[in-house]
Amino acid sequence: MSLTASPLRLATTDAGFDAALTARLQWSADTDAGIEQAVAAILADVRKRGDAAVVEYTNRFDMKAGSMAELQLRRGELKTAFEGLPASQREALEMAAARVRSYHEAQKKASGESWSYRDADGTLLGQKVTPLDRVGIYVPGGKAAYPSSVLMNAVPAQVAGVGEIIMVVPTPRGEKNPLVLAAAHVAGVTRAFTIGGAQAIAALAYGTETVPRVDKITGPGNAYVAAAKRRVFGQVGIDMIAGPSEILVLADGSTPADWVAMDLFSQAEHDELAQSILLCPDAGYIAQVQAAIDRLLPEMPRAEIIAKSLNDRGALIHTRSMEEACEISNRIAPEHLEVASADPHRWEPLLRHAGAIFLGAYTSESLGDYCAGPNHVLPTSTTARFSSPLGVYDFQKRSSLIEVSEAGAQVLGKVAAELAYGEGLQAHARAAEMRLKG
Amino acid sequence: MSLTASPLRLATTDAGFDAALTARLQWSADTDAGIEQAVAAILADVRKRGDAAVVEYTNRFDMKAGSMAELQLRRGELKTAFEGLPASQREALEMAAARVRSYHEAQKKASGESWSYRDADGTLLGQKVTPLDRVGIYVPGGKAAYPSSVLMNAVPAQVAGVGEIIMVVPTPRGEKNPLVLAAAHVAGVTRAFTIGGAQAIAALAYGTETVPRVDKITGPGNAYVAAAKRRVFGQVGIDMIAGPSEILVLADGSTPADWVAMDLFSQAEHDELAQSILLCPDAGYIAQVQAAIDRLLPEMPRAEIIAKSLNDRGALIHTRSMEEACEISNRIAPEHLEVASADPHRWEPLLRHAGAIFLGAYTSESLGDYCAGPNHVLPTSTTARFSSPLGVYDFQKRSSLIEVSEAGAQVLGKVAAELAYGEGLQAHARAAEMRLKG
């Protein structure tokens, strides 16, 4: 078998570059009517029949189970799984968790604390920040069972101070992934159920006799899980709906071409729909990266997925300059953005939209995926234009605090009444006026 | 006409209290299949045909218009509207805007600035906070045209540093609300279009020849607008989908009963579906509030709406204690929560879920609606369990920053490789290992 990977070659000076780039970026999140219908039925059924429905769907899709009791993991099981791992894996999990925890603690301190101030007249204004009571974390089973995702979802919830973290993870054919269970132990998961699909989302959103209702559900899943999350949104909070993973490398030619080729592979190996793009003003370097791709691909166990992803969705783009590369990067708003430059801090201020920015040759995207500390759950499909990495703030909410002093009410009452009458809301106006002194 | 308003009387000691409260809180956001279908068709049409489709739907639903040019407000028009207002309204708008701005500036400083730190080995970790490029603000026309909502949506966007703020406001029969235009002037709206409904949401989400595509859409609207926002979510960001407005008053009996009655009215007058609830451990005080309701209702211009809201959805609940009242409040997770107590700071720490908390007798909810400073766009329908007031953070997004030093890569690379091999992602592992020194 001779596999080749030839990402689309583009240059910004090409006639039709814009259209070619747009076509390459195209990805449709269009929903499937069949999936929508199936999911709606499962949600309604679990809402109505609780545990019994969850057990039935689990039997149909995942594994034989007689009752919900069989689908609940005992707390001890998580610990046992952790203790059964080789020491190197235990240590790696613990170190990754510690670094993720310390980053998210810094995040909480920087942006997640309550604050208030008083006006000269004694009026207090502020905002109180509180953790969610209970959250649900969806962990995919089967081929995309990633223990690192358990850490990335559960640790920020724990740092936020969430009272209970409920994990659901399907176990097709009853096979439990010991690394996933061990990660749940390290990350402080409170309870875990071996259920998945739309039925697991329904159980978390509505609650059943056994599964407690949560306030928010995070974590990635297949099309059924995504459709179910969209439908329960409002009833509970949800995180983003993720599209295929993406990496964009902005290279000035100073990073070894092999390293960049492997970074492009590391996104492409996730999924045939994943997207890896290189932007570089140096045509010679682009040729070096293509040569590295040709040389390294045959070594890769997941070469077929990598080749398909690079051939169908990858691109090596020759730009006029690094400045132009930064502009194109802002248009793409990538999930992962590597600045493979000898002077990354020169370019970073020009980069407005990205889930995570990896600066300098040593910062491979894979270090960020596992253990640098920041979250690896990031906005995809250009949503970095308006959304953010999963963080402590996703497991907190804010309440405004207002305490108007008697003196403050005299000033504010007149303004409020004027505007309320202007809007035709007389009770609003009267409520303000009643607080005015004769 | 003799209107009466008798909110449901409950006591926590009643048998069946829980079920009665649940029934009273019940509100269904169920979508209407007819609306869904109409909205899907409008979105697809505007996406395909742009301006022409927007003009056609505007002609059909709102007003006669020959072209998009007629549906764009000139910047001068906003200023002219402002200058044409009576001085008292101009001053009230300016003072409200100034206070809202200063609160949101404090919010930005407290939780919306970039941060970073370095590990001992020189590795940098942090988060960069940037404003959205361009946002759209939906302002309802007709009876619910609230200039205060223009301030509450546009000012935090402006404080966040958003480049362009695009306002859409339908003008049924071509009638423009001068207070709405004036508020847009004061709040720094960049461009405004007199379009509404699903066609306005589509124009903002996809862009047309005339209307620029935005990154996020905020602001309340009718069922068509809400359905359209849900559908474009992902393509653009959206704020929450709001349900009917709610107030919960926690009273220890120390606030004049008239004031509390008027505060209940000020929520009820919004909408027959609005919900006003009083929780109080003092039965005598509850009777005083009911008497005040009876006395004050006939004075109210919107008495019919108030009466229907209080009769159908209101409740006066006798609790065993203030502590129990706080627990019930947490269950309800109200949009507006008044702590009408002589000692509000005693109860505030017990209150976990609420959009905004109004402390003490002088803090009428209406002061918060207009000019205290905090935002009046708040989570409804128990979503305060997991979501927050509209704020500067809704107009910002975060990007993780990671710069691993050469020394850092030696430690992190081994951990990442261990975990990546455990997940079967060999390119991830190799990318980390390539950065290790022989």
Side-chain angles (χ1 to χ4, degrees), chain A residues 88-89 92-93 95-96 99 102-103 106-107 110-111 115 117-119 125-128 130 132-133 146-148 179 213-215 230 233-237 258-259 262-263 265-266 269-270 296 300-302 344-345 348-349 351-359 361-372 374 383-389 393 397-406 409 411-413 415-416 418-420 422-428 430-432 434-435, chain B residues 88-89 92-93 95-96 99 102-103 106-107 110-111 115 117-119 125-128 130 132-133 146-148 179 213-215 230 233-237 258-259 262-263 265-266 269-270 296 299-302 344-345 348-349 351-359 361-372 374 383-389 393 397-406 409 411-413 415-416 418-420 422-428 430-432 434-435:
Chain A
S88 59
Q89 286 191 333
L93 266 185
M95 172 150 176
R99 289 193 61 94
S102 97
Y103 176 83
Q107 185 178 67
S111 66
W115 54 273
Y117 62 94
R118 280 191 194 271
D119 286 348
L125 300 169
Q127 211 159 36
K128 156 159 136 165
T130 45
L132 274 61
D133 282 352
Y146 296 143
S148 56
L179 264 169
R213 187 184 84 147
V214 303
D215 299 305
R230 258 184 200 278
F233 172 56
Q235 176 78 32
V236 295
D258 279 16
W259 297 11
M262 194 57 74
D263 293 349
F265 286 2
S266 73
E269 77 174 337
H270 272 296
L296 295 168
M300 305 312 304
R302 297 166 75 93
H345 290 281
E348 183 271 311
L351 300 167
R352 292 201 312 283
H353 311 304
I357 303 177
F358 301 80
L359 299 164
Y362 283 96
T363 315
S364 72
E365 183 269 334
S366 66
L367 299 182
D369 271 355
Y370 290 106
C371 57
T383 61
R385 291 181 293 121
F386 56 83
S387 57
S388 303
Y393 35 79
K397 71 280 192 309
R398 299 169 161 107
S399 303
S400 306
L401 290 178
I402 315 177
E403 180 179 34
V404 178
S405 66
E406 187 177 346
V411 179
L412 298 181
V415 175
E418 179 73 36
L419 294 171
E423 294 184 353
L425 296 175
Q426 297 89 355
H428 284 69
R430 293 284 300 124
M434 279 175 156
R435 271 87 172 176
Chain B
S88 60
Q89 283 191 335
L93 267 184
M95 171 147 176
R99 287 192 63 94
S102 96
Y103 176 83
Q107 186 178 65
S111 66
W115 54 273
Y117 62 93
R118 279 190 194 272
D119 286 348
L125 300 170
Q127 212 159 35
K128 155 159 136 163
T130 44
L132 274 60
D133 282 351
Y146 296 142
S148 56
L179 266 168
R213 187 184 85 147
V214 303
D215 299 305
R230 259 184 199 278
F233 173 56
Q235 175 79 32
V236 296
D258 279 16
W259 298 11
M262 194 57 74
D263 293 349
F265 285 3
S266 72
E269 75 173 340
H270 272 295
L296 294 168
E299 298 177 14
M300 305 312 302
R302 298 167 75 92
H345 290 282
E348 182 272 311
L351 300 167
R352 292 201 312 282
H353 311 305
I357 303 177
F358 301 79
L359 300 164
Y362 283 96
T363 314
S364 72
E365 183 268 334
S366 65
L367 299 182
D369 271 355
Y370 290 107
C371 57
T383 60
R385 291 182 291 121
F386 56 82
S387 55
S388 303
Y393 35 79
K397 71 289 194 299
R398 300 170 162 105
S399 302
S400 306
L401 290 178
I402 315 176
E403 180 180 35
V404 178
S405 66
E406 186 176 346
V411 179
L412 298 180
V415 175
E418 179 73 37
L419 293 171
E423 294 185 352
L425 296 175
Q426 297 88 354
H428 283 69
R430 292 284 302 125
M434 280 175 157
R435 270 87 172 177

Side-chain angles (χ1 to χ4, degrees), chain B residues 33-245:
Chain B
I35 292 179
E36 288 294 325
Q37 216 171 354
V39 165
I42 293 171
L43 294 182
D45 197 21
V46 172
R47 187 171 205 168
K48 191 171 159 199
R49 296 196 301 127
D51 282 349
V54 175
V55 170
E56 274 177 36
Y57 290 112
T58 301
N59 271 294
R60 191 181 311 170
F61 300 126
D62 291 334
M63 60 174 287
K64 287 245 174 302
S67 71
M68 270 311 288
E70 292 174 37
L71 296 173
Q72 173 155 8
L73 289 169
R74 285 161 295 104
R75 176 89 186 143
E77 247 180 294
L78 305 182
K79 188 157 182 261
T80 305
F82 176 73
E83 285 164 354
L85 295 180
S88 60
Q89 283 191 335
R90 280 204 311 272
E91 283 157 22
L93 267 184
E94 282 190 321
M95 171 147 176
R99 287 192 63 94
V100 171
R101 188 168 290 126
S102 96
Y103 176 83
H104 287 85
E105 276 162 2
Q107 186 178 65
K108 184 181 179 186
K109 210 168 156 192
S111 66
E113 305 283 3
S114 301
W115 54 273
S116 66
Y117 62 93
R118 279 190 194 272
D119 286 348
D121 65 19
T123 294
L124 175 139
L125 300 170
Q127 212 159 35
K128 155 159 136 163
V129 182
T130 44
L132 274 60
D133 282 351
R134 189 190 288 136
V135 302
I137 291 181
Y138 190 94
V139 179
K143 66 171 177 171
Y146 296 142
S148 56
S149 293
V150 178
L151 299 185
M152 293 296 181
N153 280 275
V155 170
Q158 201 192 31
V159 170
V162 168
E164 286 179 65
I165 303 171
I166 314 295
M167 180 173 91
V168 294
V169 54
T171 52
R173 298 168 307 283
E175 290 161 16
K176 294 170 190 167
N177 180 327
L179 266 168
V180 164
L181 302 198
H185 169 70
V186 171
V189 163
T190 318
R191 292 172 71 185
F193 297 89
T194 56
I195 58 177
Q199 60 274 20
I201 299 298
L204 292 170
Y206 307 128
T208 70
E209 302 88 321
T210 309
V211 182
R213 187 184 85 147
V214 303
D215 299 305
K216 184 164 186 168
I217 302 172
T218 68
N222 64 18
Y224 289 83
V225 171
K229 280 170 67 182
R230 259 184 199 278
R231 279 181 179 265
V232 297
F233 173 56
Q235 175 79 32
V236 296
I238 61 167
D239 61 346
M240 61 203 86
I241 306 281
S245 196

